[in-house]
Amino acid sequence: MLYLVGLGLADETDITIKGLNVVKAAQRVYLEAYTSILMVDKDKLEAYYGRPIILADREMVESSSDEILAGAEKTDVAFLVVGDPFGATTHTDLVLRARELNIRTQSIHNASIISAIGATGLQLYNFGQTVSMVFFTESWKPSSFYDRVQENRQIGLHTLMLLDIKVKEQSLENLARGRKIFEPPRFMTASQCAAQMLETEQSRGEGAYGPNVLAVGIARLGATDQQMAAGTLQQISECDMGAPLHSLVLLGTRVHDLEREYLREYALDRDSFDRAWREQYNSWAMMEIRWNEAILMLGKLTTNSKYSYFKSRSGFKWARNEIRVHVVLQEVDDAAPNNLMSGESEEAMNENFRDLYPGPMAKLPPLRFIEPLNANNEKFKYPSEPYAFVVDAVVQSEDWIDVTDAMNKAHIPASQWDAMADLRDIIARGEKIGWFVVHNGDRELAKQERLRKEANGVQTSADETEAVEQAAAIESKYSKELGEKVAKMQLPNKSNGKEEVKDAPHQLCIWQMTDFKGTGVTANRQETWEIQEAFPRRFEMKPWRTSIVPRMIRIAPRRRLVQHQQIKEEMSTKGIVTVDGISYEYLGMGSTTLPKLPNLQPAVPLTVSYDSQYSNFTFAAGPVEVTASFLSSVLPTDLCRTSIPLSYLTASARSTDNKDHSIQFYSDVNAAWAAFESNVTIQWDLYEGSNVITGSGNATGGSSSIYSWFFYLQKAYEFAEEMDVALWGNFTYSSSPMSAQKFSFESGFSGDLRYRYVMQHSLQDTVDMDYRPFAMREPVFAYAHDFGSVSSASVRYSIGSVQQPIVRYLTSQGVVPLQPWWSKCYGDIYQMINFHFNDFHQTQILASQFEKQLKTDVDAYYGANMAMVYSNSTRSIPPPYADSSQGYNGTDQFGERYMFDPGNGYGFLDAQNFTGIAIPDVEEAQAYYSIVALSTRQIMGAYTFAIPPSSSGCSNTSSNATEPLMFQKEISSDGNVNTVDVMYPAMPFFLYANPELLRYNLEPLYQNQEGGFYPNEYSMHDLGSHYPNATGHVEGDDEYMPVEESGNMILMSYAYYKFTSDASYLQAHYPKLQQYANYLIRFSLTPGLQLSTDDFAGQLVNQTNLAIKGIVGLAAMGEIASIAKDEQSAANYSATAQSFYTQWEKFAIDPSGTHTLLSYQWRSSYSLLYNTYPSLLLNLSIIPDSLFEMQSAFYPSVSQVFGIPLDSRHSYTKGDESMWTAATCSPETRRLFVNGLGYWLNETITDRAFSDLFETIDTGSYPASPGPIYFIARPVVGGHFSLLALDKSRKLG
């Protein structure tokens, strides 16, 4: 039999007793998981029901129901449904299919939203049709719900809105590409529903409801933390009601006083609730005059027919300064025939307004422009007053009209009223906005009409004469009565009564029309370009952070120069310097696309150097030395500058013969930087400052003008990437004339531009408008600087990938886009580029300060922690060793004899006991500096800073808008957002450089989990599967690393406190930290089969290193509990940690007592025990010195040429984890780790950005077994700062 079992609304305990009995007896149990969800995860259901549960998604239920029904004619199958089984038509269809197969069915009912909605106090028999609200997209905004709501309200009934749930949904792009990549789950909030309803009312404009109609938002109905909020639809649209699920009820007009009394307890603001009730739900409310719809007598028109009155629904007077604009009144083309605007002109006027003011015009119907005449103004053929009325609609009314009656009959949606106010504030600031009554009866114009007729022999009728006299009386009466009434009114600027908006950024300037019948209106307007902002500064797309920074630098000046790499072969950066007519290519390989030219040759590489901020390359170009210097500043305490997603390239030339030479520079970048696929269209623009240059012309700006190429996908995919390339935003490349005698620019086919420059030494100042993919006549974007005859010259470029918005973030208001932090600091993209370009020298100063401090700190550390092999030895200068295929024996600088055979992978061995020793010809301090300097830019390049989402309405949480949220991309591996076990190894850098950055990085994780968006009791693995979508895992289906991530969160949080003494931080998150700690108590000593951060190595049962992380985490939790004034828990956590450690030693240490094992009691295994590092870093004293000493003595016995393998299963190692381990060892063993990594940097054959995973043998390649693994440019290299962080910790005490 097939049982359909209702689960109720909230958690596992809501099931009925009958339903529970069925579930426990069923052969298979399915949980329908897409029409609704419970507020607990599957694990809790399984624990409570005592049965395994199979998740049934939409595809299974609707397309593979046979799988569910298989065998149900013989055995019992339970199909669990949140709420009641028949709350969705899908379940009816499942029953019908069962009947076709002769399978018996039985339903076990439960509470559902349909019945439980009575908890609002609204009576169920007052509800009409239930309506579903789906998520709107840019191109799909269905409004069918609107008709049902309108029908309900017409008969006075409430409307229950059921809100959309998106689970396992694919984007259109992924569907089209056939990729099984699912979007993050989304749950519509009451505020989103209300906002979409208001948007639909604006577009439909039929008055089904308005922003002041009362509604009720309901969140987590049936749960212990259920929430209700009553208010206007506008208030609900601004209300944060927390975690899902949400519903909304729009009140009907037939409301009982008991409903009002019950509902009022949930009012967001009782005054506004009462006011809305009086205005819309009382019998006398409709009789009140709404002052924001006051009638103004502002003009008059004449007609040759009987008296008529025309009323507009809203508008304002517009002073136009000699501009002739005429407007047709709807349905009354005979009203003033000599003064009507032609249809073409009126259409042109509206089109112009839509271009200039898209915001308000999108919410308004076509505008009408009414112009009263003035017979005394003889300047024009048809005399005119110097103003017009701008109104949204005009309707005809016969004879006399009742003012109040007219207002009540013509409903103005608040959205239109507000839009008119917005338009008024832009073009007629200070004018009142209201209703207009325009009537005929202008005696002067009537007299002119009469004289015209008489001149043509037409006799004026008595009726017309009477009309003129009667019009005078009407005009006098209305002018007096309405004038007095309006004078007493306080007209609001908007329907919500808010203050006037600030001055508009630009004013309308309409050129004078000369032909009123057919000429359209044109406008002189400044173009504005809304550019969107940036991926992390190291998104595998930041040019100088990823592809041009050095791959390797020798730590001793010997043998070979560094090379650089590009993330795609198609991506091109070209640099040419021309000296005395000969061009030398110093960047890129663009010359290979040109014919052989006698005046083009490669520059000769000379030197390479780098530090934490710069990569510098020098070349010989004939009698000139050229330096290409890339600066990607790392300024951890300067959040604004750190958030800028741009880098500098400075190219300079100096004469080597002390003579002047004719020098020109050329540089270009190609369109491949903006796209991954070669067949998608790229679009581009050139800007001078913020002004677009669209055709051709000279670069007329001064020496300080900044020119910027922007290029971007013509069809962008917001918040999407492909192979680490952003698919939205733009790539920007900027330069300035500076001191050049001539500056020029050009875009076009690469071969044409480069050939033209080599032959002419300048560009044509043209912008190629033929947008195309980068594989079609490769588009490049170039600058040329001509300095004339000089002895030195320098040019500067800034370059980067910019996205805005920058991150997609899950909040209780739904998924919202976040703006980049730099926009808070500098404004729009043009201002940011301008600041960055002109800030070069100040950035150099700040970068130099960081670099100087880094060197000082490395020197200070090694001054106090030098490795001395023999206490009676005198350290000497490191000796060189022979690099040959033959073996070599020697003595290192500490007097220790070693043997080395480059033909094997053992590295340098002690000549007596054959244990590994550090590379002899390198100073450890120099090696360590080389490692951390090369790591610095790579670390910060993976992070981006965003402005926190604004909190509003009834939210119980708030974001600190003065501090950024910090998001990390797990580059080149999973692409996750804020991966906890990637943040954790990077932690030492932040503790050293600025601990606040660690807090900014942790904050989004805490917001998500403390906001109720993560159902599991342990810490989440990451904040989103696909950067930059920080949308969490509301189903709890993230990568399963519960001990790993729970321990990481506790240790990172405590580390922040230890380096800042900010006790309030731990106290604020103490409940969540307790939750993690309680999980560790249950599972850390014997983790079972789990993944650790080294997930590429696979699962392993009871990993020694994973268990010690949990134990150290519990020791830290004891300290945290004490800080939180919970002494009883503090004692328990500390005692548990100590007890666990005692047991761990028995499981983890080899019986020989020489080392710890990879996994409990697995003889012959070993691993790097890097998770003991936090015990030293945080001074936890949970691990005795004897363990550190034992491990330190063991590691040299298993070392290889490039370090110690991560564990005994493979020959590869992790650089970050090696450095964590090094910090726990004696100075001699530490030197083995440090020099091994430094040696690998110089000798490895890997050809990409600094990898943290590599082979310790052979050529130091990327791991090849069990399959190729390429970890590139990952931020975990922050772990290389383990020594400096430990040194800082000891100094802090």
Side-chain angles (χ1 to χ4, degrees):
M1 178 179 288
L2 172 67
Y3 289 93
L4 280 75
V5 182
L7 299 182
L9 294 170
D11 57 33
E12 71 276 17
T13 63
D14 282 354
I15 192 170
T16 64
I17 294 175
K18 181 186 291 186
L20 182 60
N21 291 334
V22 166
V23 169
K24 289 186 174 182
Q27 186 74 20
R28 299 194 309 277
V29 181
Y30 294 89
L31 173 62
E32 188 266 275
Y34 66 93
T35 60
S36 188
I37 62 167
L38 282 182
M39 298 170 200
V40 294
D41 62 3
K42 182 170 74 81
D43 292 343
K44 283 195 174 181
L45 294 181
E46 291 176 332
Y48 189 77
Y49 300 156
R51 302 285 293 115
I53 292 175
I54 304 167
L55 287 180
D57 58 16
R58 182 185 298 275
E59 183 178 0
M60 174 182 285
V61 176
E62 297 183 357
S63 304
S64 304
S65 60
D66 291 346
E67 180 180 340
I68 298 172
L69 298 174
E73 70 278 6
K74 299 178 181 178
T75 61
D76 290 339
V77 175
F79 185 76
L80 311 185
V81 178
V82 177
D84 188 82
F86 291 102
T89 55
T90 297
H91 310 142
T92 304
D93 183 62
L94 184 64
V95 171
L96 291 174
R97 279 180 278 175
R99 289 177 180 174
E100 291 174 0
L101 298 173
N102 295 318
I103 296 172
R104 292 181 302 142
T105 63
Q106 181 177 340
S107 300
I108 301 173
H109 299 283
N110 208 323
S112 73
I113 186 67
I114 304 295
S115 59
I117 199 64
T120 59
L122 299 175
Q123 298 169 7
L124 293 180
Y125 54 76
N126 277 345
F127 278 81
Q129 303 168 82
T130 299
V131 174
S132 295
M133 174 66 81
V134 300
F135 281 109
F136 284 2
T137 67
E138 289 298 321
S139 59
W140 186 61
K141 299 182 179 182
S143 63
S144 56
F145 77 88
Y146 184 89
D147 300 315
R148 308 289 82 76
V149 173
Q150 192 171 41
E151 291 168 3
N152 285 346
R153 284 184 57 80
Q154 285 173 350
I155 56 178
L157 298 181
H158 312 313
T159 304
L160 170 62
M161 311 287 295
L162 301 180
L163 311 189
D164 200 2
I165 294 175
K166 297 290 188 186
V167 179
K168 288 193 75 173
E169 298 278 344
Q170 289 177 274
S171 67
L172 292 176
E173 179 195 0
N174 287 330
L175 279 171
R177 294 174 183 269
R179 298 187 298 205
K180 284 287 186 178
I181 299 176
F182 299 102
E183 293 290 284
R186 291 188 293 157
F187 304 92
M188 184 179 288
T189 64
S191 62
Q192 288 174 307
C193 175
Q196 291 187 179
M197 292 178 72
L198 292 173
E199 180 181 352
T200 304
E201 177 58 57
Q202 291 174 13
S203 62
R204 294 279 294 260
E206 298 173 22
Y209 49 82
N212 295 323
V213 170
L214 289 178
V216 190
I218 306 99
R220 301 173 300 282
L221 185 60
T224 55
D225 63 341
Q226 75 176 27
Q227 184 179 356
M228 299 183 194
T232 65
L233 201 57
Q234 183 66 45
Q235 288 175 324
I236 298 298
S237 74
E238 299 168 354
C239 177
D240 181 351
M241 299 189 68
L245 296 170
H246 291 195
S247 304
L248 184 140
V249 176
L250 189 73
L251 268 65
T253 55
R254 192 176 71 197
V255 190
H256 195 279
D257 284 342
L258 286 176
E259 292 177 298
R260 171 190 174 276
E261 184 177 350
Y262 196 98
L263 199 59
R264 191 173 182 268
E265 292 300 312
Y266 303 115
L268 295 170
D269 177 75
R270 292 190 177 181
D271 289 340
S272 61
F273 180 89
D274 292 341
R275 183 165 57 253
W277 190 275
R278 288 195 305 271
E279 292 177 355
Q280 301 182 61
Y281 301 94
N282 275 6
S283 58
W284 55 268
M286 299 304 293
M287 302 298 293
E288 292 186 332
I289 295 176
R290 299 177 189 172
W291 300 118
N292 65 343
E293 296 175 349
I295 297 180
L296 303 180
M297 170 90 171
L298 293 180
K300 39 190 179 287
L301 289 173
T302 186
T303 179
N304 57 5
S305 62
K306 288 194 174 184
Y307 324 125
S308 298
Y309 301 87
F310 307 93
K311 60 183 184 357
S312 74
R313 298 201 296 178
S314 71
F316 56 89
K317 186 169 74 172
W318 173 32
R320 294 172 300 103
N321 298 329
E322 306 284 348
I323 300 169
R324 300 277 296 177
V325 177
H326 296 262
V327 175
V328 179
L329 299 180
Q330 289 177 342
E331 304 176 6
V332 284
D333 286 348
D334 62 341
N338 293 332
N339 303 305
L340 301 181
M341 176 183 282
S342 70
E344 295 91 335
S345 293
E346 180 178 315
E347 182 179 350
M349 194 74 178
N350 272 282
E351 181 179 352
N352 209 277
F353 267 46
R354 283 190 289 269
D355 284 344
L356 289 167
Y357 317 114
M361 289 297 292
K363 303 173 184 177
L364 290 169
L367 296 179
R368 316 305 303 272
F369 299 79
I370 309 169
E371 183 174 54
L373 300 182
N374 182 354
N376 296 322
N377 187 342
E378 298 179 355
K379 184 172 182 178
F380 298 102
K381 180 180 179 181
Y382 299 109
S384 169
E385 295 282 3
Y387 60 83
F389 301 137
V390 181
V391 300
D392 63 352
V394 180
V395 293
Q396 182 174 356
S397 177
E398 296 298 330
D399 297 319
W400 290 90
I401 63 171
D402 180 85
V403 173
T404 304
D405 181 62
M407 289 192 307
N408 287 340
K409 287 182 178 178
H411 171 70
I412 305 176
S415 59
Q416 284 190 22
W417 188 277
D418 289 352
M420 288 297 291
D422 289 338
L423 186 61
R424 180 276 316 271
D425 289 336
I426 297 172
I427 67 173
R429 187 171 177 79
E431 291 293 337
K432 293 181 178 180
I433 183 170
W435 283 40
F436 297 81
V437 174
V438 183
H439 65 93
N440 67 357
D442 187 313
R443 287 174 293 172
E444 188 63 32
L445 289 178
K447 180 180 177 180
Q448 290 182 7
E449 180 68 14
R450 188 167 64 250
L451 292 175
R452 184 184 64 78
K453 287 185 177 183
E454 289 175 355
N456 293 329
V458 179
Q459 186 66 37
T460 304
S461 67
D463 285 344
E464 288 180 306
T465 303
E466 181 184 359
V468 171
E469 301 303 323
Q470 215 165 356
I474 293 169
E475 180 181 359
S476 176
K477 179 177 184 296
Y478 264 73
S479 296
K480 181 178 180 180
E481 291 182 1
L482 290 176
E484 292 174 350
K485 187 171 186 179
V486 169
K488 296 177 182 179
M489 294 179 180
Q490 295 294 322
L491 292 176
N493 292 296
K494 289 193 175 185
S495 61
N496 58 13
K498 294 181 179 178
E499 296 295 322
E500 289 194 44
V501 298
K502 296 181 179 179
D503 290 333
H506 53 85
Q507 295 295 322
L508 178 69
C509 178
I510 299 182
W511 295 344
Q512 181 174 320
M513 295 172 55
T514 57
D515 177 4
F516 296 110
K517 292 295 183 182
T519 302
V521 182
T522 59
N524 178 15
R525 64 188 174 94
Q526 178 180 349
E527 293 279 353
T528 58
W529 185 255
E530 297 289 337
I531 297 298
Q532 310 203 340
E533 201 260 350
F535 255 51
R537 296 180 53 157
R538 251 225 50 82
F539 182 73
E540 240 347 81
M541 175 150 189
K542 291 298 165 284
W544 319 132
R545 290 177 169 77
T546 314
S547 60
I548 310 297
V549 296
R551 173 177 66 83
M552 61 186 94
I553 302 287
R554 265 204 66 80
I555 52 181
R558 189 176 63 82
R559 198 180 304 153
R560 67 184 180 211
L561 295 174
V562 69
Q563 299 176 6
H564 67 273
Q565 57 90 24
Q566 295 176 336
I567 59 175
K568 285 197 307 172
E569 290 183 1
E570 297 90 345
M571 290 180 175
S572 168
T573 304
K574 178 75 171 179
I576 299 174
V577 62
T578 302
V579 182
D580 298 333
I582 305 298
S583 294
Y584 300 88
E585 184 178 37
Y586 66 92
L587 281 183
M589 298 292 290
S591 61
T592 58
T593 64
L594 300 178
K596 185 173 180 60
L597 301 172
N599 55 343
L600 174 62
Q601 56 188 270
V604 179
L606 297 177
T607 65
V608 177
S609 63
Y610 76 95
D611 59 22
S612 64
Q613 312 287 323
Y614 290 90
S615 296
N616 304 305
F617 304 81
T618 64
F619 305 86
V624 164
E625 182 179 278
V626 178
T627 300
S629 180
F630 301 93
L631 169 60
S632 299
S633 59
V634 175
L635 308 172
T637 59
D638 189 329
L639 298 181
C640 286
R641 285 183 172 89
T642 297
S643 69
I644 295 175
L646 304 175
S647 297
Y648 300 102
L649 164 60
T650 303
S652 58
R654 68 172 186 85
S655 171
T656 58
D657 60 5
N658 297 319
K659 297 179 181 179
D660 287 352
H661 297 275
S662 174
I663 296 177
Q664 296 84 37
F665 277 99
Y666 169 92
S667 179
D668 73 41
V669 294
N670 73 349
W673 287 102
F676 177 77
E677 296 182 347
S678 61
N679 60 348
V680 296
T681 300
I682 310 295
Q683 192 165 329
W684 51 82
D685 301 282
L686 176 66
Y687 285 83
E688 181 182 350
S690 59
N691 298 317
V692 69
I693 300 173
T694 56
S696 63
N698 295 330
T700 57
S703 61
S704 62
S705 296
I706 298 173
Y707 292 82
S708 300
W709 289 108
F710 288 177
F711 48 103
Y712 45 91
L713 289 177
Q714 192 173 72
K715 183 179 179 182
Y717 299 92
E718 197 168 69
F719 303 123
E721 66 165 56
E722 187 165 6
M723 297 298 292
D724 288 329
V725 175
L727 299 183
W728 89 105
N730 66 272
F731 199 87
T732 177
Y733 190 41
S734 303
S735 192
S736 174
M738 301 176 69
S739 59
Q741 292 182 3
K742 181 182 179 183
F743 170 79
S744 55
F745 59 80
E746 190 172 353
S747 65
F749 172 49
S750 59
D752 291 345
L753 264 66
R754 293 166 182 170
Y755 179 82
R756 185 179 300 117
Y757 170 79
V758 171
M759 303 306 293
Q760 301 176 3
H761 310 150
S762 66
L763 299 172
Q764 295 184 332
D765 290 343
T766 59
V767 179
D768 176 9
M769 304 302 289
D770 180 19
Y771 305 137
R772 57 190 180 272
F774 69 74
M776 295 177 57
R777 300 184 70 252
E778 178 191 27
V780 298
F781 313 98
Y783 299 110
H785 295 73
D786 187 345
F787 292 92
S789 183
V790 293
S791 61
S792 64
S794 178
V795 296
R796 184 190 317 150
Y797 311 94
S798 70
I799 188 164
S801 178
V802 185
Q803 284 75 36
Q804 189 178 6
I806 195 168
V807 168
R808 192 168 172 236
Y809 188 53
L810 177 63
T811 72
S812 55
Q813 287 289 95
V815 177
V816 299
L818 300 185
Q819 296 300 317
W821 187 255
W822 60 255
S823 64
K824 182 182 180 71
C825 303
Y826 308 114
D828 62 26
I829 189 172
Y830 313 106
Q831 293 169 308
M832 182 267 286
I833 291 173
N834 181 74
F835 174 85
H836 178 261
F837 196 90
N838 292 321
D839 190 53
F840 176 69
H841 296 297
Q842 182 61 29
T843 296
Q844 282 187 308
I845 293 171
L846 297 172
S848 176
Q849 291 172 355
F850 180 93
E851 170 65 15
K852 181 180 179 181
Q853 188 62 53
L854 178 63
K855 288 180 176 177
T856 299
D857 292 340
V858 171
D859 289 342
Y861 174 81
Y862 278 98
N865 297 278
M866 183 54 64
M868 298 296 292
V869 179
Y870 303 114
S871 61
N872 59 352
S873 297
T874 300
R875 180 166 57 96
S876 62
I877 298 173
Y881 62 89
D883 181 20
S884 67
S885 60
Q886 305 300 316
Y888 180 76
N889 298 326
T891 304
D892 69 9
Q893 63 267 48
F894 298 102
E896 185 173 14
R897 292 196 57 77
Y898 65 84
M899 53 189 294
F900 171 70
D901 182 355
N904 62 46
Y906 298 135
F908 296 84
L909 302 178
D910 185 295
Q912 295 181 347
N913 61 22
F914 302 103
T915 59
I917 66 167
I919 299 164
D921 70 340
V922 175
E923 285 277 14
E924 183 189 355
Q926 184 185 359
Y928 186 63
Y929 168 76
S930 299
I931 293 165
V932 294
L934 190 57
S935 303
T936 303
R937 282 173 280 168
Q938 180 163 309
I939 298 161
M940 290 305 297
Y943 293 86
T944 193
F945 297 81
I947 300 173
S950 58
S951 56
S952 59
C954 58
S955 174
N956 293 324
T957 60
S958 61
S959 296
N960 185 351
T962 65
E963 296 180 339
L965 296 179
M966 186 169 161
F967 297 93
Q968 175 205 72
K969 180 172 190 277
E970 186 182 342
I971 296 172
S972 79
S973 42
D974 283 349
N976 299 158
V977 185
N978 284 24
T979 308
V980 178
D981 61 290
V982 175
M983 292 164 54
Y984 180 68
M987 172 177 66
F989 172 79
F990 298 113
L991 297 179
Y992 164 74
N994 181 6
E996 296 301 329
L997 297 180
L998 182 60
R999 177 166 63 88
Y1000 301 150
N1001 201 194
L1002 286 167
E1003 182 62 22
L1005 290 161
Y1006 274 124
Q1007 286 188 10
N1008 184 282
Q1009 293 173 94
E1010 292 172 344
F1013 295 114
Y1014 188 67
N1016 297 325
E1017 59 185 317
Y1018 46 81
S1019 168
M1020 65 195 321
H1021 170 266
D1022 59 77
L1023 196 57
S1025 298
H1026 304 286
Y1027 185 91
N1029 296 285
T1031 49
H1033 299 276
V1034 294
E1035 293 181 297
D1037 57 353
D1038 50 330
E1039 189 171 3
Y1040 185 68
M1041 293 186 187
V1043 170
E1044 174 74 40
E1045 311 302 21
S1046 298
N1048 291 342
M1049 287 296 290
I1050 292 172
L1051 290 167
M1052 284 191 288
S1053 299
Y1054 184 59
Y1056 168 75
Y1057 162 77
K1058 286 289 287 185
F1059 279 73
T1060 63
S1061 301
D1062 184 359
S1064 63
Y1065 180 76
L1066 295 181
Q1067 292 163 352
H1069 299 300
Y1070 184 60
K1072 184 57 65 176
L1073 291 169
Q1074 278 188 302
Q1075 180 180 320
Y1076 301 152
N1078 291 338
Y1079 183 87
L1080 293 181
I1081 289 174
R1082 293 165 57 199
F1083 295 105
S1084 64
L1085 179 59
T1086 52
L1089 188 64
Q1090 288 196 16
L1091 287 172
S1092 71
T1093 185
D1094 304 319
D1095 52 357
F1096 50 85
Q1099 289 183 328
L1100 186 63
V1101 68
N1102 294 336
Q1103 298 178 60
T1104 296
N1105 193 44
L1106 179 60
I1108 199 63
K1109 171 175 287 183
I1111 295 168
V1112 174
L1114 287 174
M1117 194 63 203
E1119 301 296 324
I1120 293 171
S1122 182
I1123 294 163
K1125 310 300 183 185
D1126 185 0
E1127 297 300 340
Q1128 182 176 355
S1129 295
N1132 179 57
Y1133 290 132
S1134 297
T1136 302
Q1138 191 59 58
S1139 172
F1140 280 6
Y1141 178 78
T1142 301
Q1143 297 176 70
W1144 176 87
E1145 278 197 340
K1146 297 176 182 178
F1147 297 142
I1149 298 178
D1150 185 88
S1152 66
T1154 57
H1155 64 282
T1156 56
L1157 305 169
L1158 169 62
S1159 177
Y1160 287 173
Q1161 300 179 358
W1162 180 7
R1163 294 296 306 272
S1164 77
S1165 70
Y1166 68 87
S1167 70
L1168 297 182
L1169 201 64
Y1170 54 83
N1171 278 326
T1172 58
Y1173 169 66
S1175 180
L1176 290 177
L1177 179 70
L1178 306 177
N1179 195 26
L1180 292 172
S1181 302
I1182 184 66
I1183 297 175
D1185 291 344
S1186 58
L1187 183 79
F1188 294 117
E1189 293 166 358
M1190 177 184 70
Q1191 290 297 110
S1192 183
F1194 170 74
Y1195 293 132
S1197 68
V1198 290
S1199 67
Q1200 303 288 164
V1201 63
F1202 296 125
I1204 292 87
L1206 178 63
D1207 63 52
S1208 51
R1209 291 175 293 181
H1210 305 282
S1211 55
Y1212 55 62
T1213 196
K1214 292 278 273 92
D1216 54 315
E1217 292 164 0
S1218 292
M1219 297 307 292
W1220 276 47
T1221 309
T1224 69
C1225 293
S1226 67
E1228 296 75 29
T1229 302
R1230 181 200 66 211
R1231 188 162 64 95
L1232 177 62
F1233 279 100
V1234 173
N1235 282 14
L1237 181 55
Y1239 186 55
W1240 174 84
L1241 269 179
N1242 193 61
E1243 301 298 327
T1244 177
I1245 66 166
T1246 59
D1247 57 355
R1248 309 181 192 188
F1250 202 162
S1251 178
D1252 57 287
L1253 181 64
F1254 53 86
E1255 289 288 348
T1256 60
I1257 59 174
D1258 196 26
T1259 57
S1261 63
Y1262 297 109
S1265 176
I1269 306 174
Y1270 299 97
F1271 280 3
I1272 307 160
R1274 292 178 4 122
V1276 297
V1277 295
H1280 296 161
F1281 282 77
S1282 59
L1283 304 183
L1284 294 181
L1286 182 59
D1287 192 48
K1288 183 177 179 181
S1289 173
R1290 288 168 175 167
K1291 291 174 181 177
L1292 289 172

